[in-house]
Amino acid sequence: MRILADANVPAEYVAALRGDGHEVRYSRDVAAIGPEAPDDTLVEFAETEDFAILSTDVKDFAEVDATAPVFVAPQGMTGGAVRTAVARIEAMEFDPAETEPLWLSSL
């Protein structure tokens, strides 16, 4: 899975997902976005480039309207818990882009 990590996502989450073979890029490292990009710019990039969005920003991403999958991982999760939640999503028979943002802590 291709995942665009919001600037506030802990390195532990990114490392865990990369360890499972996911292509994870921080939004701050994408020249087309930049380190201080607003959330709508992240959503537009993710939709255009076929990325899911990973954020810990509960307030801004909990209600986002996007065609890209949005995964919200609260700061208290471990990298292993994030990895497990994403693996569960991949095993489900639905398109996560067609749902509301998914709270990884509930999986």
Side-chain angles (χ1 to χ4, degrees):
M1 181 182 297
R2 299 177 76 199
I3 301 171
L4 180 65
D6 194 6
N8 60 0
V9 171
E12 177 185 4
Y13 297 4
V14 172
L17 292 170
R18 285 178 177 161
D20 272 1
H22 297 287
E23 176 188 343
V24 185
R25 295 176 65 189
Y26 271 109
S27 60
R28 64 179 176 245
D29 296 334
V30 177
I33 298 174
E36 300 297 324
D39 295 336
D40 59 338
T41 301
L42 271 68
V43 170
E44 182 179 323
F45 179 85
E47 291 173 340
T48 302
E49 300 298 323
D50 197 29
F51 278 85
I53 298 169
L54 175 63
S55 181
T56 59
D57 193 345
V58 175
K59 182 178 70 173
D60 291 343
F61 281 96
E63 301 293 327
V64 72
D65 182 28
T67 59
V70 176
F71 306 142
V72 179
Q75 288 279 353
M77 293 183 75
T78 65
V82 170
R83 180 181 60 230
T84 299
V86 170
R88 287 182 180 152
I89 291 168
E90 288 185 307
M92 294 178 181
E93 295 186 23
F94 75 102
D95 182 356
E98 295 188 12
T99 69
E100 296 294 317
L102 296 168
W103 291 77
L104 298 185
S105 58
S106 67
L107 299 173

